Amino acid sequence: MNSIAADRAKPGAGLFRVRQILDNVEAKPVSTALTWPATLNPAASKRYYFWLVAPAVALLAFISIYPFFWMIYMGLHDVEIGSVVWNDFANFTRLPSDSRYVGGWLLLFQYSAMCLALQIGIGVFLAVALNGLRHEKILVTMLLMPMMIAPLVAGMVWYFLYNGTFGWYHWLLQSVGILGPKSILGSPDTAMLAIVIIDVWQWTPLITLITLAGLKRVPQDQLEANMVDGASPFVNFISVTLPNLYPVLLIAIMLRFMDNFRFIDSALVLTGGGPGNATKILPIYLFEVSFKFFKLGRGAAIALTLLVVTIILGMILAKVFDRLHPKRT
Amino acid sequence: MASRDIVQYQAPLSRAFGWFSAVFLALYLVWTLLPILVMFISSFKDLLEAFKIPPVGDWAGVTLFFDFTPTFKHYENLFVNLNFSQYMANSLIAAGGSAAISVILGSMAAYSLSRIDFHGKSDLLFWIISTRMAPVVAVMVPLYWIFRELELVGTLPGLILAYTTFNLPFAIWILKGFFDDVPYAIEEAQMVDGATRFQAFLSILPLVGPGIGAVVVLCILFAWNDYLFAAIIGSGGAKTLSVATRELVQPQNIQWGPIMAAGVVTTLPMMLLGLVIRRYLVAGLTMGAVKE
């Protein structure tokens, strides 16, 4: 598109142009007929486009690159409100021996893995069940309601539901007989499940939506051809549908994985990392260190490691993305 | 479509699967909608009634849930005594402000990024999207320090700027996708006819208009639903709905009635907005990677 524009911007390029010049040459001296609108002049265009990008990039640099350098600087110092002292990389060197830091990573991966397994399993199944139903549209709309709820509000509602004395969810689990008399958020093993369930409740619909979008692009003729050849729907699903879903599912997994790193709102209200350190996934630990104890230097060091891992994940996502939409970048 | 008849043949196994998936779907829908229903209904319940629950195993006791006399006193309490109209205004200004900045600057940037090519463009784009993907807590550590120096902590401008850290990259990225779908030839034709660049830009706006509207809504949604930034950067002077709701949880005294009412007040507008832009939801929530 751009090369065509550049080509056309040269007066006289292209067959049609040349003929026009010849027609006009005798009639009058080279004049208005030849001037191409200034708006299509490539050099001026470049400047114009540059100034359009500049404000956004400048603002973004101020709120992302500038803080990034501050993060490195803070990570290398003992930062308290009012005093900044160099501390010989102590913030970083003590990380490996900080059991809550290492444990935070493990819990974060455990948490993400549990969330993802449930979300992908349920989400894909729901999408297959929904695909092509008569009331698909309205059912999907009902399904996606939880995604609109503020994570904090979701956390509060589930906090209510999990309550040991008047929570309906607690009552339900006890009535079914799965849960003993213990409180859900009070015991380490169920507390982790509790925050996983909120995430599953809120974000499984996104996986369903993404999978549905993918299902619409599965080549129907291939499915039908297999059917005629006698393949069962199950075989068809495994051999045709699933391979076509891989790219969208990969995107879904990456996005949810990164969101589990990004958002801790509902977990923060529900358990705040407790009981003990049972649900202290790394972002919650980071939040505590930085904004409860205001050890901003240590916080910055932890934040830096978290950020690096997220960016690596992001690079992988971008690779997947490029393969899906080769034209975009 | 001629092969419809063949496809509709159902083996007993796939019939069973059909039944199973229908039951699962129904159960899932109930499970997904119940918490929302509990929130809505509890917000109209007197506290004593909200705490009424049948003994374990008493399935018939479920009717107890609907046994109450509706009251508006929690909503009244919110807006009369707890100053929630102020917090709502704060939420609205913070979300709206950052959405406005993000979409105006974002559409300019997205438009031009969609129209030019230069060395390092893909790196620039990756930087933009990675800004959006960064964990909120991690971003907040240095941002808090900087904003403290600039005396932006606890102010609405500070909160607006904080929300722009994730809304601006989002707006640029998604809008670029919309502009990419509009052929350059349209503007070129306009400019050949003597339109200025700006007029040419205006001429394609109707084509991306709905997309821009959806981005505005999504930016508002992301900012409105935020808690972490508001709790730290906005603490004090710029209390938003989420933070005010959280503050109703006090040791020894969790004010469940007002909490549920605040939940409804926070949730309802966003649900309605979400329905309005339903068509763009998937593209928006997947950063444009998946389109319906």
Side-chain angles (χ1 to χ4, degrees), chain A residues 1-2 5 8 37-41 44-45 48-49 52-53 55-57 59-67 70-71 74 79-81 84 122 125-126 129-130 133 139-153 156-161 165-169 171-172 174-176 197 200-201 204 206 209-210 213 217 224 233 248 251 255 258 261-262 264-265 268-269 286-287 290-291 294 296 300 303 306-307 310 314-315 317-318 321 325 328-329, chain B residues 3 6-7 14 17 20-21 24-25 28-29 31-33 35-36 38-39 42 50-59 62 65 101 105 108-109 111-112 115-117 125-128 131-138 140-146 148 150 161 164-166 168-169 172-173 176-177 180 184 188 191-192 195-198 221 225 227-228 232 242 245-246 249 254 256 259-260 263 266-267 270-271 274-275 278 281-282 285-286 288-292:
Chain A
M1 203 155 60
N2 292 305
R8 292 241 200 119
T39 42
L40 290 173
N41 170 329
S45 288
Y48 171 72
Y49 287 129
L52 276 183
V53 187
V57 169
L59 179 62
L60 209 54
F62 172 68
I63 52 184
S64 92
I65 293 188
Y66 179 59
W70 261 103
M71 192 192 280
M74 288 165 77
V79 184
E80 307 263 338
I81 306 287
V84 178
I122 301 174
F125 186 84
L126 282 177
L130 276 167
L133 276 187
L139 287 174
V140 170
T141 306
M142 280 159 71
L143 209 61
L144 59 81
M145 282 304 176
M147 295 199 307
M148 303 296 137
I149 296 178
L152 178 108
V153 172
M156 293 307 307
V157 172
W158 279 88
Y159 193 40
F160 182 79
L161 291 172
T165 43
F166 51 80
W168 282 94
Y169 207 69
W171 175 82
L172 179 75
Q174 280 196 321
S175 299
V176 175
I197 283 177
V200 170
W201 175 71
T204 299
L206 182 63
L209 279 176
I210 293 175
R217 256 171 262 154
E224 287 174 15
V248 275
I251 285 178
L255 282 170
M258 289 167 95
F261 284 45
R262 279 193 73 207
I264 51 166
D265 302 21
L268 202 63
V269 222
L286 170 57
F287 184 82
S290 316
F291 299 112
F294 278 97
L296 288 172
L306 186 63
L307 196 63
T310 325
M315 283 173 148
L317 180 68
F321 194 87
H325 304 264
R328 266 198 75 167
T329 43
Chain B
S3 50
I6 303 166
V7 177
S14 69
F17 176 79
F20 175 69
S21 63
F24 184 84
L25 191 63
Y28 189 87
L29 270 176
W31 183 67
T32 210
L33 293 178
I36 303 174
V38 168
M39 178 174 79
S42 300
F51 288 164
K52 260 196 298 190
I53 201 160
V56 171
D58 178 14
W59 293 102
V62 173
F65 179 66
I101 293 177
L105 294 185
M108 283 159 55
Y111 170 67
S112 90
R115 293 301 185 246
I116 41 168
D117 239 333
L125 284 173
F126 178 70
W127 167 59
I128 289 173
T131 316
R132 151 85 192 188
M133 295 299 183
V136 172
V137 208
M140 215 158 59
V141 175
L143 214 57
Y144 175 74
W145 190 257
I146 294 168
R148 228 178 52 88
L150 299 174
L161 214 51
T164 309
T165 56
F166 57 76
L168 181 57
I172 296 175
W173 189 263
K176 179 177 173 294
D180 281 346
Y184 178 64
E188 202 184 22
M191 289 195 275
V192 169
T196 64
R197 283 199 186 82
F198 188 64
L221 187 95
N225 282 353
Y227 166 70
L228 282 181
I232 301 299
S242 294
T245 308
R246 178 75 176 102
V249 181
I254 302 180
W256 283 114
I259 286 174
M260 292 298 169
T266 313
T267 305
M270 292 306 119
M271 278 189 172
L275 290 184
R278 168 72 191 81
L281 211 55
V282 176
L285 291 172
T286 58
V290 180
K291 285 191 180 123
E292 264 183 306

Side-chain angles (χ1 to χ4, degrees), chain A residues 206-242:
Chain A
L206 182 63
I207 307 282
T208 306
L209 279 176
I210 293 175
T211 314
L212 268 174
L215 280 173
K216 306 285 180 215
R217 256 171 262 154
V218 174
Q220 292 301 314
D221 46 349
Q222 213 171 326
L223 286 177
E224 287 174 15
N226 273 8
M227 281 284 203
V228 176
D229 288 348
S232 75
F234 180 71
V235 170
N236 234 341
F237 179 77
I238 297 291
S239 62
V240 182
T241 311
L242 216 49

Side-chain angles (χ1 to χ4, degrees), chain A residues 82-98:
Chain A
S83 85
V84 178
V85 184
W86 172 263
N87 68 357
D88 298 322
F89 301 100
N91 289 330
F92 289 98
T93 49
R94 66 191 285 185
L95 285 184
S97 57
D98 182 348

